[in-house]
Amino acid sequence: MSSSLLSQPDTPATPVQRALRTVVARDVDEHAHNLTHWEQRYDQITCGSFEGVLQEWQSDGLQIFREASSRAVRQSCQVWPHAYWFGIEARTTGMRINGRQVGEDVVMTRPGACEFELVTPDAHEIYGIVVQRDALQASAARLGCQPDWQRLGQAELLKVDHGGLADCRQQIAALLAMAGQDSGAHAALQLRQEAVLVALLAMLDEGEIEAEAGASFLRRRRIVNDAREFAMAHQDSPVTVPMLCEAVHVSRRTLQYCFEDVLGMSPMSYLRSLRLNGVRRALCHGDGRQAVGSIGDIAAAWGFANFSQFSCDYKKLFGQTPSAMLQARSRH
């Protein structure tokens, strides 16, 4: 048996990475694709030029990373099957997971092959640990830890000890710092990896799984999701608040409250940013619905009837006009 806490389970079929990988992105969509083995889509929701930085280290059945982003982002995320993801903010900033605010001394978690939503504020930084389920359970057994695995697989938030959380942050930062040094020895990195797992398992063993969201909150989240789906189903039409209210059968006040509670922003602000991100994605890559064409055609396909207003809104959100963005990409 290996002396490592983490055995070597069936992992995604790519070579094992033991060096730190650092990637800088100036585009939110590019940043979304930089995390290995994740399925993600990011939408920028606050104004200004974007910068994202990812530091990622992988070993057998384990991925540890630090992700920083300059602007607020709505993220749709899914990690590989048969794994657990644990998210730890570098500092508490009021981010949301599936609409629920993340408070002090809280760890986020979701199982693999399960889509979840994060909303992060400006100047955000988060540490992530993804570990194969069987390997984590085997490690817990060797350490005598007994988390409630059934409830953990359904959880979103874990309330943990303040000192234990600080220790886990410190161990992750130390591993990434060591992995970034050319002289970092494999044996020393192995010890750092095990220290991260020990800190994580201590939190899981002693932490408390927070109760599932209540019925009233689930209703608000469903209203937001239904409104989003309606807007996307009518992508090429300017969708108004009265149209959304009629579609999801709520009053204007209720709709506003639901969006502010779940996403932290108004319905129209969110949907405008969603459409502008859709235009940007289509201009850069195409999105499966429409090939890259003229800026005006793509804007119209995303429901922007007034090109001047669209161009102004686009520049305000992303810090550059659509044509300037395309010119910059062409030069690159």
Side-chain angles (χ1 to χ4, degrees), residues 6-52:
L6 195 65
S7 59
Q8 298 185 12
D10 181 20
T11 56
T14 59
V16 172
Q17 172 189 319
R18 296 190 185 278
L20 185 70
R21 173 175 169 262
T22 302
V23 190
V24 178
R26 299 286 191 273
D27 176 87
V28 68
D29 197 48
E30 177 187 345
H31 185 57
H33 291 90
N34 283 337
L35 195 54
T36 307
H37 299 312
W38 286 62
E39 295 181 18
Q40 299 195 108
R41 174 166 286 198
Y42 287 6
D43 291 317
Q44 181 177 332
I45 55 178
T46 56
C47 299
S49 57
F50 178 87
E51 179 176 280

mmCIF file of all heavy atoms in Angstrom, residues 6-52:
data_model
loop_
_atom_site.group_PDB
_atom_site.id
_atom_site.type_symbol
_atom_site.label_atom_id
_atom_site.label_comp_id
_atom_site.label_asym_id
_atom_site.label_seq_id
_atom_site.Cartn_x
_atom_site.Cartn_y
_atom_site.Cartn_z
ATOM 1 N N LEU A 6 -3.656 9.586 -0.133
ATOM 2 C CA LEU A 6 -4.549 9.489 -1.275
ATOM 3 C C LEU A 6 -4.117 8.354 -2.176
ATOM 4 O O LEU A 6 -3.019 8.353 -2.712
ATOM 5 C CB LEU A 6 -4.526 10.803 -2.061
ATOM 6 C CG LEU A 6 -5.648 11.026 -3.069
ATOM 7 C CD1 LEU A 6 -6.977 11.121 -2.331
ATOM 8 C CD2 LEU A 6 -5.408 12.272 -3.876
ATOM 9 N N SER A 7 -4.981 7.359 -2.332
ATOM 10 C CA SER A 7 -4.680 6.265 -3.250
ATOM 11 C C SER A 7 -4.840 6.749 -4.680
ATOM 12 O O SER A 7 -5.195 7.895 -4.921
ATOM 13 C CB SER A 7 -5.621 5.093 -2.973
ATOM 14 O OG SER A 7 -6.958 5.496 -3.135
ATOM 15 N N GLN A 8 -4.593 5.888 -5.648
ATOM 16 C CA GLN A 8 -4.660 6.287 -7.043
ATOM 17 C C GLN A 8 -5.907 5.694 -7.690
ATOM 18 O O GLN A 8 -5.883 4.590 -8.227
ATOM 19 C CB GLN A 8 -3.399 5.827 -7.780
ATOM 20 C CG GLN A 8 -2.146 6.464 -7.209
ATOM 21 C CD GLN A 8 -0.923 6.105 -8.014
ATOM 22 O OE1 GLN A 8 -1.008 5.568 -9.108
ATOM 23 N NE2 GLN A 8 0.240 6.394 -7.462
ATOM 24 N N PRO A 9 -7.025 6.423 -7.672
ATOM 25 C CA PRO A 9 -8.283 5.931 -8.212
ATOM 26 C C PRO A 9 -8.349 6.150 -9.713
ATOM 27 O O PRO A 9 -7.423 6.626 -10.331
ATOM 28 C CB PRO A 9 -9.325 6.803 -7.505
ATOM 29 C CG PRO A 9 -8.602 8.103 -7.337
ATOM 30 C CD PRO A 9 -7.148 7.766 -7.118
ATOM 31 N N ASP A 10 -9.508 5.814 -10.255
ATOM 32 C CA ASP A 10 -9.748 6.043 -11.675
ATOM 33 C C ASP A 10 -9.977 7.529 -11.890
ATOM 34 O O ASP A 10 -10.991 8.088 -11.486
ATOM 35 C CB ASP A 10 -10.994 5.253 -12.090
ATOM 36 C CG ASP A 10 -11.302 5.417 -13.565
ATOM 37 O OD1 ASP A 10 -10.386 5.799 -14.308
ATOM 38 O OD2 ASP A 10 -12.454 5.152 -13.949
ATOM 39 N N THR A 11 -9.026 8.214 -12.507
ATOM 40 C CA THR A 11 -9.093 9.656 -12.699
ATOM 41 C C THR A 11 -9.300 9.980 -14.159
ATOM 42 O O THR A 11 -9.131 9.131 -15.017
ATOM 43 C CB THR A 11 -7.796 10.323 -12.209
ATOM 44 O OG1 THR A 11 -6.702 9.707 -12.893
ATOM 45 C CG2 THR A 11 -7.631 10.164 -10.727
ATOM 46 N N PRO A 12 -9.679 11.238 -14.492
ATOM 47 C CA PRO A 12 -9.818 11.624 -15.883
ATOM 48 C C PRO A 12 -8.550 11.299 -16.670
ATOM 49 O O PRO A 12 -7.438 11.457 -16.179
ATOM 50 C CB PRO A 12 -10.055 13.140 -15.794
ATOM 51 C CG PRO A 12 -10.702 13.327 -14.460
ATOM 52 C CD PRO A 12 -10.048 12.313 -13.570
ATOM 53 N N ALA A 13 -8.736 10.847 -17.906
ATOM 54 C CA ALA A 13 -7.630 10.259 -18.669
ATOM 55 C C ALA A 13 -6.727 11.322 -19.282
ATOM 56 O O ALA A 13 -6.785 11.590 -20.467
ATOM 57 C CB ALA A 13 -8.194 9.350 -19.747
ATOM 58 N N THR A 14 -5.917 11.953 -18.456
ATOM 59 C CA THR A 14 -4.875 12.848 -18.927
ATOM 60 C C THR A 14 -3.641 12.596 -18.088
ATOM 61 O O THR A 14 -3.736 12.071 -16.980
ATOM 62 C CB THR A 14 -5.279 14.331 -18.795
ATOM 63 O OG1 THR A 14 -5.550 14.604 -17.434
ATOM 64 C CG2 THR A 14 -6.499 14.652 -19.633
ATOM 65 N N PRO A 15 -2.450 12.979 -18.570
ATOM 66 C CA PRO A 15 -1.247 12.768 -17.775
ATOM 67 C C PRO A 15 -1.324 13.481 -16.433
ATOM 68 O O PRO A 15 -1.904 14.553 -16.318
ATOM 69 C CB PRO A 15 -0.140 13.364 -18.658
ATOM 70 C CG PRO A 15 -0.708 13.367 -20.037
ATOM 71 C CD PRO A 15 -2.181 13.568 -19.882
ATOM 72 N N VAL A 16 -0.722 12.894 -15.414
ATOM 73 C CA VAL A 16 -0.686 13.494 -14.090
ATOM 74 C C VAL A 16 0.218 14.731 -14.126
ATOM 75 O O VAL A 16 1.319 14.697 -14.654
ATOM 76 C CB VAL A 16 -0.167 12.485 -13.053
ATOM 77 C CG1 VAL A 16 0.052 13.162 -11.710
ATOM 78 C CG2 VAL A 16 -1.147 11.337 -12.917
ATOM 79 N N GLN A 17 -0.262 15.818 -13.584
ATOM 80 C CA GLN A 17 0.503 17.066 -13.547
ATOM 81 C C GLN A 17 1.030 17.273 -12.133
ATOM 82 O O GLN A 17 0.278 17.241 -11.181
ATOM 83 C CB GLN A 17 -0.420 18.229 -13.939
ATOM 84 C CG GLN A 17 0.205 19.597 -13.757
ATOM 85 C CD GLN A 17 -0.837 20.683 -13.961
ATOM 86 O OE1 GLN A 17 -1.670 20.603 -14.848
ATOM 87 N NE2 GLN A 17 -0.811 21.689 -13.118
ATOM 88 N N ARG A 18 2.318 17.492 -12.013
ATOM 89 C CA ARG A 18 2.895 17.693 -10.689
ATOM 90 C C ARG A 18 3.578 19.050 -10.573
ATOM 91 O O ARG A 18 4.217 19.321 -9.576
ATOM 92 C CB ARG A 18 3.887 16.569 -10.364
ATOM 93 C CG ARG A 18 3.224 15.194 -10.276
ATOM 94 C CD ARG A 18 4.178 14.152 -9.722
ATOM 95 N NE ARG A 18 3.585 12.822 -9.758
ATOM 96 C CZ ARG A 18 2.750 12.341 -8.852
ATOM 97 N NH1 ARG A 18 2.388 13.084 -7.840
ATOM 98 N NH2 ARG A 18 2.276 11.119 -8.962
ATOM 99 N N ALA A 19 3.490 19.859 -11.605
ATOM 100 C CA ALA A 19 4.032 21.207 -11.553
ATOM 101 C C ALA A 19 2.876 22.202 -11.503
ATOM 102 O O ALA A 19 1.770 21.902 -11.951
ATOM 103 C CB ALA A 19 4.913 21.464 -12.775
ATOM 104 N N LEU A 20 3.138 23.363 -10.955
ATOM 105 C CA LEU A 20 2.105 24.393 -10.888
ATOM 106 C C LEU A 20 1.842 24.943 -12.284
ATOM 107 O O LEU A 20 2.766 25.241 -13.037
ATOM 108 C CB LEU A 20 2.549 25.524 -9.962
ATOM 109 C CG LEU A 20 1.503 26.611 -9.706
ATOM 110 C CD1 LEU A 20 0.375 26.061 -8.837
ATOM 111 C CD2 LEU A 20 2.139 27.820 -9.034
ATOM 112 N N ARG A 21 0.582 25.073 -12.615
ATOM 113 C CA ARG A 21 0.171 25.669 -13.880
ATOM 114 C C ARG A 21 -0.486 27.003 -13.572
ATOM 115 O O ARG A 21 -1.460 27.059 -12.820
ATOM 116 C CB ARG A 21 -0.807 24.727 -14.584
ATOM 117 C CG ARG A 21 -1.454 25.272 -15.843
ATOM 118 C CD ARG A 21 -2.299 24.178 -16.494
ATOM 119 N NE ARG A 21 -3.133 24.727 -17.553
ATOM 120 C CZ ARG A 21 -4.412 25.056 -17.410
ATOM 121 N NH1 ARG A 21 -5.008 24.890 -16.234
ATOM 122 N NH2 ARG A 21 -5.101 25.550 -18.421
ATOM 123 N N THR A 22 0.039 28.073 -14.147
ATOM 124 C CA THR A 22 -0.512 29.409 -13.937
ATOM 125 C C THR A 22 -0.973 29.975 -15.268
ATOM 126 O O THR A 22 -0.216 29.987 -16.238
ATOM 127 C CB THR A 22 0.528 30.351 -13.308
ATOM 128 O OG1 THR A 22 0.967 29.805 -12.061
ATOM 129 C CG2 THR A 22 -0.064 31.735 -13.055
ATOM 130 N N VAL A 23 -2.233 30.433 -15.310
ATOM 131 C CA VAL A 23 -2.811 30.958 -16.543
ATOM 132 C C VAL A 23 -3.480 32.294 -16.237
ATOM 133 O O VAL A 23 -4.237 32.415 -15.272
ATOM 134 C CB VAL A 23 -3.861 29.997 -17.131
ATOM 135 C CG1 VAL A 23 -4.272 30.447 -18.528
ATOM 136 C CG2 VAL A 23 -3.352 28.568 -17.162
ATOM 137 N N VAL A 24 -3.194 33.294 -17.071
ATOM 138 C CA VAL A 24 -3.817 34.612 -16.954
ATOM 139 C C VAL A 24 -4.737 34.820 -18.145
ATOM 140 O O VAL A 24 -4.348 34.547 -19.288
ATOM 141 C CB VAL A 24 -2.760 35.733 -16.898
ATOM 142 C CG1 VAL A 24 -3.436 37.105 -16.815
ATOM 143 C CG2 VAL A 24 -1.819 35.529 -15.712
ATOM 144 N N ALA A 25 -5.952 35.265 -17.901
ATOM 145 C CA ALA A 25 -6.928 35.495 -18.973
ATOM 146 C C ALA A 25 -7.439 36.922 -18.902
ATOM 147 O O ALA A 25 -7.662 37.455 -17.817
ATOM 148 C CB ALA A 25 -8.094 34.513 -18.847
ATOM 149 N N ARG A 26 -7.645 37.515 -20.065
ATOM 150 C CA ARG A 26 -8.206 38.866 -20.149
ATOM 151 C C ARG A 26 -9.659 38.836 -20.618
ATOM 152 O O ARG A 26 -10.259 39.864 -20.865
ATOM 153 C CB ARG A 26 -7.386 39.712 -21.124
ATOM 154 C CG ARG A 26 -5.931 39.893 -20.741
ATOM 155 C CD ARG A 26 -5.763 40.875 -19.577
ATOM 156 N NE ARG A 26 -4.372 41.256 -19.369
ATOM 157 C CZ ARG A 26 -3.517 40.596 -18.623
ATOM 158 N NH1 ARG A 26 -3.914 39.496 -18.023
ATOM 159 N NH2 ARG A 26 -2.287 41.011 -18.451
ATOM 160 N N ASP A 27 -10.189 37.637 -20.741
ATOM 161 C CA ASP A 27 -11.564 37.449 -21.216
ATOM 162 C C ASP A 27 -12.257 36.462 -20.286
ATOM 163 O O ASP A 27 -11.702 35.413 -19.953
ATOM 164 C CB ASP A 27 -11.549 36.913 -22.655
ATOM 165 C CG ASP A 27 -12.951 36.620 -23.161
ATOM 166 O OD1 ASP A 27 -13.592 37.543 -23.681
ATOM 167 O OD2 ASP A 27 -13.398 35.465 -23.019
ATOM 168 N N VAL A 28 -13.462 36.783 -19.859
ATOM 169 C CA VAL A 28 -14.151 35.955 -18.863
ATOM 170 C C VAL A 28 -14.467 34.565 -19.406
ATOM 171 O O VAL A 28 -14.395 33.564 -18.684
ATOM 172 C CB VAL A 28 -15.430 36.669 -18.361
ATOM 173 C CG1 VAL A 28 -16.491 36.763 -19.446
ATOM 174 C CG2 VAL A 28 -15.986 36.000 -17.116
ATOM 175 N N ASP A 29 -14.792 34.480 -20.703
ATOM 176 C CA ASP A 29 -15.097 33.181 -21.293
ATOM 177 C C ASP A 29 -13.843 32.321 -21.405
ATOM 178 O O ASP A 29 -13.880 31.110 -21.149
ATOM 179 C CB ASP A 29 -15.727 33.384 -22.669
ATOM 180 C CG ASP A 29 -16.445 32.142 -23.168
ATOM 181 O OD1 ASP A 29 -17.221 31.568 -22.391
ATOM 182 O OD2 ASP A 29 -16.213 31.757 -24.319
ATOM 183 N N GLU A 30 -12.742 32.946 -21.757
ATOM 184 C CA GLU A 30 -11.462 32.220 -21.791
ATOM 185 C C GLU A 30 -11.097 31.701 -20.403
ATOM 186 O O GLU A 30 -10.657 30.560 -20.242
ATOM 187 C CB GLU A 30 -10.373 33.156 -22.316
ATOM 188 C CG GLU A 30 -8.981 32.576 -22.353
ATOM 189 C CD GLU A 30 -7.925 33.611 -22.719
ATOM 190 O OE1 GLU A 30 -8.299 34.694 -23.205
ATOM 191 O OE2 GLU A 30 -6.729 33.330 -22.496
ATOM 192 N N HIS A 31 -11.307 32.552 -19.403
ATOM 193 C CA HIS A 31 -11.000 32.168 -18.026
ATOM 194 C C HIS A 31 -11.814 30.948 -17.600
ATOM 195 O O HIS A 31 -11.314 30.058 -16.896
ATOM 196 C CB HIS A 31 -11.278 33.355 -17.106
ATOM 197 C CG HIS A 31 -10.891 33.151 -15.681
ATOM 198 N ND1 HIS A 31 -9.613 32.819 -15.286
ATOM 199 C CD2 HIS A 31 -11.624 33.239 -14.534
ATOM 200 C CE1 HIS A 31 -9.562 32.719 -13.964
ATOM 201 N NE2 HIS A 31 -10.772 32.963 -13.491
ATOM 202 N N ALA A 32 -13.061 30.872 -18.046
ATOM 203 C CA ALA A 32 -13.937 29.760 -17.673
ATOM 204 C C ALA A 32 -13.416 28.427 -18.164
ATOM 205 O O ALA A 32 -13.692 27.384 -17.552
ATOM 206 C CB ALA A 32 -15.338 29.998 -18.234
ATOM 207 N N HIS A 33 -12.657 28.430 -19.255
ATOM 208 C CA HIS A 33 -12.190 27.177 -19.847
ATOM 209 C C HIS A 33 -10.795 26.770 -19.373
ATOM 210 O O HIS A 33 -10.263 25.751 -19.818
ATOM 211 C CB HIS A 33 -12.200 27.290 -21.374
ATOM 212 C CG HIS A 33 -13.578 27.349 -21.956
ATOM 213 N ND1 HIS A 33 -14.245 28.537 -22.148
ATOM 214 C CD2 HIS A 33 -14.437 26.369 -22.350
ATOM 215 C CE1 HIS A 33 -15.448 28.287 -22.659
ATOM 216 N NE2 HIS A 33 -15.583 26.979 -22.780
ATOM 217 N N ASN A 34 -10.219 27.531 -18.462
ATOM 218 C CA ASN A 34 -8.837 27.251 -18.061
ATOM 219 C C ASN A 34 -8.710 26.195 -16.964
ATOM 220 O O ASN A 34 -7.631 25.629 -16.773
ATOM 221 C CB ASN A 34 -8.152 28.540 -17.600
ATOM 222 C CG ASN A 34 -7.741 29.411 -18.772
ATOM 223 O OD1 ASN A 34 -7.561 28.915 -19.883
ATOM 224 N ND2 ASN A 34 -7.613 30.719 -18.543
ATOM 225 N N LEU A 35 -9.785 25.916 -16.253
ATOM 226 C CA LEU A 35 -9.720 24.956 -15.157
ATOM 227 C C LEU A 35 -9.882 23.537 -15.711
ATOM 228 O O LEU A 35 -10.901 23.208 -16.319
ATOM 229 C CB LEU A 35 -10.809 25.265 -14.128
ATOM 230 C CG LEU A 35 -10.701 24.614 -12.757
ATOM 231 C CD1 LEU A 35 -9.350 24.881 -12.108
ATOM 232 C CD2 LEU A 35 -11.821 25.125 -11.850
ATOM 233 N N THR A 36 -8.895 22.701 -15.511
ATOM 234 C CA THR A 36 -8.841 21.369 -16.120
ATOM 235 C C THR A 36 -9.980 20.470 -15.636
ATOM 236 O O THR A 36 -10.265 20.398 -14.437
ATOM 237 C CB THR A 36 -7.492 20.693 -15.788
ATOM 238 O OG1 THR A 36 -6.429 21.574 -16.150
ATOM 239 C CG2 THR A 36 -7.331 19.385 -16.542
ATOM 240 N N HIS A 37 -10.634 19.807 -16.595
ATOM 241 C CA HIS A 37 -11.667 18.785 -16.348
ATOM 242 C C HIS A 37 -13.002 19.353 -15.856
ATOM 243 O O HIS A 37 -13.895 18.597 -15.491
ATOM 244 C CB HIS A 37 -11.199 17.721 -15.340
ATOM 245 C CG HIS A 37 -10.000 16.957 -15.781
ATOM 246 N ND1 HIS A 37 -9.866 16.403 -17.034
ATOM 247 C CD2 HIS A 37 -8.856 16.644 -15.120
ATOM 248 C CE1 HIS A 37 -8.711 15.792 -17.125
ATOM 249 N NE2 HIS A 37 -8.075 15.919 -15.989
ATOM 250 N N TRP A 38 -13.142 20.680 -15.823
ATOM 251 C CA TRP A 38 -14.411 21.274 -15.427
ATOM 252 C C TRP A 38 -15.227 21.636 -16.669
ATOM 253 O O TRP A 38 -14.664 21.983 -17.706
ATOM 254 C CB TRP A 38 -14.193 22.536 -14.601
ATOM 255 C CG TRP A 38 -13.725 22.310 -13.199
ATOM 256 C CD1 TRP A 38 -12.566 21.711 -12.800
ATOM 257 C CD2 TRP A 38 -14.397 22.721 -12.012
ATOM 258 N NE1 TRP A 38 -12.479 21.722 -11.433
ATOM 259 C CE2 TRP A 38 -13.582 22.342 -10.917
ATOM 260 C CE3 TRP A 38 -15.594 23.387 -11.761
ATOM 261 C CZ2 TRP A 38 -13.934 22.592 -9.590
ATOM 262 C CZ3 TRP A 38 -15.947 23.644 -10.439
ATOM 263 C CH2 TRP A 38 -15.131 23.241 -9.381
ATOM 264 N N GLU A 39 -16.556 21.585 -16.532
ATOM 265 C CA GLU A 39 -17.453 22.162 -17.535
ATOM 266 C C GLU A 39 -17.999 23.457 -16.939
ATOM 267 O O GLU A 39 -18.695 23.421 -15.917
ATOM 268 C CB GLU A 39 -18.594 21.198 -17.856
ATOM 269 C CG GLU A 39 -18.145 19.910 -18.525
ATOM 270 C CD GLU A 39 -19.316 18.993 -18.835
ATOM 271 O OE1 GLU A 39 -20.464 19.488 -18.857
ATOM 272 O OE2 GLU A 39 -19.081 17.793 -19.037
ATOM 273 N N GLN A 40 -17.681 24.589 -17.581
ATOM 274 C CA GLN A 40 -18.042 25.869 -16.988
ATOM 275 C C GLN A 40 -18.470 26.877 -18.046
ATOM 276 O O GLN A 40 -18.019 26.827 -19.182
ATOM 277 C CB GLN A 40 -16.845 26.464 -16.228
ATOM 278 C CG GLN A 40 -16.356 25.599 -15.086
ATOM 279 C CD GLN A 40 -15.436 26.365 -14.164
ATOM 280 O OE1 GLN A 40 -15.802 26.703 -13.041
ATOM 281 N NE2 GLN A 40 -14.227 26.654 -14.627
ATOM 282 N N ARG A 41 -19.332 27.787 -17.623
ATOM 283 C CA ARG A 41 -19.678 28.960 -18.420
ATOM 284 C C ARG A 41 -19.740 30.141 -17.470
ATOM 285 O O ARG A 41 -20.444 30.096 -16.455
ATOM 286 C CB ARG A 41 -21.003 28.776 -19.151
ATOM 287 C CG ARG A 41 -21.453 30.050 -19.874
ATOM 288 C CD ARG A 41 -22.562 29.807 -20.869
ATOM 289 N NE ARG A 41 -22.050 29.148 -22.064
ATOM 290 C CZ ARG A 41 -22.686 29.114 -23.233
ATOM 291 N NH1 ARG A 41 -23.853 29.703 -23.372
ATOM 292 N NH2 ARG A 41 -22.173 28.479 -24.259
ATOM 293 N N TYR A 42 -18.993 31.193 -17.792
ATOM 294 C CA TYR A 42 -18.935 32.381 -16.959
ATOM 295 C C TYR A 42 -19.569 33.560 -17.693
ATOM 296 O O TYR A 42 -19.331 33.759 -18.885
ATOM 297 C CB TYR A 42 -17.478 32.764 -16.648
ATOM 298 C CG TYR A 42 -16.750 31.878 -15.663
ATOM 299 C CD1 TYR A 42 -17.305 30.715 -15.155
ATOM 300 C CD2 TYR A 42 -15.475 32.229 -15.230
ATOM 301 C CE1 TYR A 42 -16.619 29.922 -14.254
ATOM 302 C CE2 TYR A 42 -14.774 31.443 -14.323
ATOM 303 C CZ TYR A 42 -15.341 30.289 -13.843
ATOM 304 O OH TYR A 42 -14.657 29.501 -12.951
ATOM 305 N N ASP A 43 -20.333 34.355 -16.964
ATOM 306 C CA ASP A 43 -20.877 35.617 -17.476
ATOM 307 C C ASP A 43 -20.416 36.745 -16.575
ATOM 308 O O ASP A 43 -20.648 36.719 -15.362
ATOM 309 C CB ASP A 43 -22.409 35.579 -17.494
ATOM 310 C CG ASP A 43 -22.961 34.607 -18.524
ATOM 311 O OD1 ASP A 43 -22.436 34.594 -19.655
ATOM 312 O OD2 ASP A 43 -23.902 33.859 -18.199
ATOM 313 N N GLN A 44 -19.765 37.740 -17.163
ATOM 314 C CA GLN A 44 -19.331 38.919 -16.411
ATOM 315 C C GLN A 44 -20.554 39.779 -16.114
ATOM 316 O O GLN A 44 -21.347 40.078 -17.002
ATOM 317 C CB GLN A 44 -18.320 39.715 -17.231
ATOM 318 C CG GLN A 44 -17.787 40.957 -16.516
ATOM 319 C CD GLN A 44 -16.720 41.670 -17.339
ATOM 320 O OE1 GLN A 44 -16.018 41.041 -18.138
ATOM 321 N NE2 GLN A 44 -16.597 42.972 -17.152
ATOM 322 N N ILE A 45 -20.700 40.229 -14.866
ATOM 323 C CA ILE A 45 -21.909 40.965 -14.495
ATOM 324 C C ILE A 45 -21.632 42.351 -13.913
ATOM 325 O O ILE A 45 -22.575 43.074 -13.600
ATOM 326 C CB ILE A 45 -22.801 40.151 -13.526
ATOM 327 C CG1 ILE A 45 -22.033 39.711 -12.283
ATOM 328 C CG2 ILE A 45 -23.396 38.962 -14.239
ATOM 329 C CD1 ILE A 45 -22.887 38.937 -11.271
ATOM 330 N N THR A 46 -20.375 42.739 -13.741
ATOM 331 C CA THR A 46 -20.072 44.130 -13.376
ATOM 332 C C THR A 46 -19.140 44.728 -14.410
ATOM 333 O O THR A 46 -18.456 44.023 -15.156
ATOM 334 C CB THR A 46 -19.443 44.245 -11.975
ATOM 335 O OG1 THR A 46 -18.260 43.433 -11.909
ATOM 336 C CG2 THR A 46 -20.417 43.839 -10.891
ATOM 337 N N CYS A 47 -19.110 46.052 -14.448
ATOM 338 C CA CYS A 47 -18.489 46.770 -15.553
ATOM 339 C C CYS A 47 -16.977 46.924 -15.392
ATOM 340 O O CYS A 47 -16.484 47.139 -14.286
ATOM 341 C CB CYS A 47 -19.112 48.157 -15.679
ATOM 342 S SG CYS A 47 -20.888 48.107 -16.025
ATOM 343 N N GLY A 48 -16.287 46.852 -16.528
ATOM 344 C CA GLY A 48 -14.850 47.100 -16.555
ATOM 345 C C GLY A 48 -14.094 45.964 -17.215
ATOM 346 O O GLY A 48 -14.629 44.879 -17.426
ATOM 347 N N SER A 49 -12.841 46.220 -17.549
ATOM 348 C CA SER A 49 -12.028 45.178 -18.175
ATOM 349 C C SER A 49 -11.804 44.037 -17.188
ATOM 350 O O SER A 49 -11.717 44.248 -15.981
ATOM 351 C CB SER A 49 -10.688 45.754 -18.638
ATOM 352 O OG SER A 49 -10.001 46.337 -17.551
ATOM 353 N N PHE A 50 -11.719 42.840 -17.728
ATOM 354 C CA PHE A 50 -11.634 41.627 -16.911
ATOM 355 C C PHE A 50 -10.220 41.076 -16.897
ATOM 356 O O PHE A 50 -9.519 41.081 -17.910
ATOM 357 C CB PHE A 50 -12.584 40.554 -17.455
ATOM 358 C CG PHE A 50 -12.535 39.253 -16.703
ATOM 359 C CD1 PHE A 50 -13.330 39.054 -15.591
ATOM 360 C CD2 PHE A 50 -11.665 38.229 -17.100
ATOM 361 C CE1 PHE A 50 -13.284 37.857 -14.885
ATOM 362 C CE2 PHE A 50 -11.610 37.036 -16.401
ATOM 363 C CZ PHE A 50 -12.427 36.856 -15.280
ATOM 364 N N GLU A 51 -9.813 40.578 -15.724
ATOM 365 C CA GLU A 51 -8.594 39.784 -15.632
ATOM 366 C C GLU A 51 -8.849 38.625 -14.677
ATOM 367 O O GLU A 51 -9.361 38.808 -13.580
ATOM 368 C CB GLU A 51 -7.405 40.604 -15.135
ATOM 369 C CG GLU A 51 -6.131 39.760 -15.026
ATOM 370 C CD GLU A 51 -4.897 40.553 -14.637
ATOM 371 O OE1 GLU A 51 -4.321 41.196 -15.524
ATOM 372 O OE2 GLU A 51 -4.551 40.537 -13.435
ATOM 373 N N GLY A 52 -8.491 37.433 -15.124
ATOM 374 C CA GLY A 52 -8.603 36.247 -14.281
ATOM 375 C C GLY A 52 -7.263 35.551 -14.186
ATOM 376 O O GLY A 52 -6.515 35.489 -15.163
#
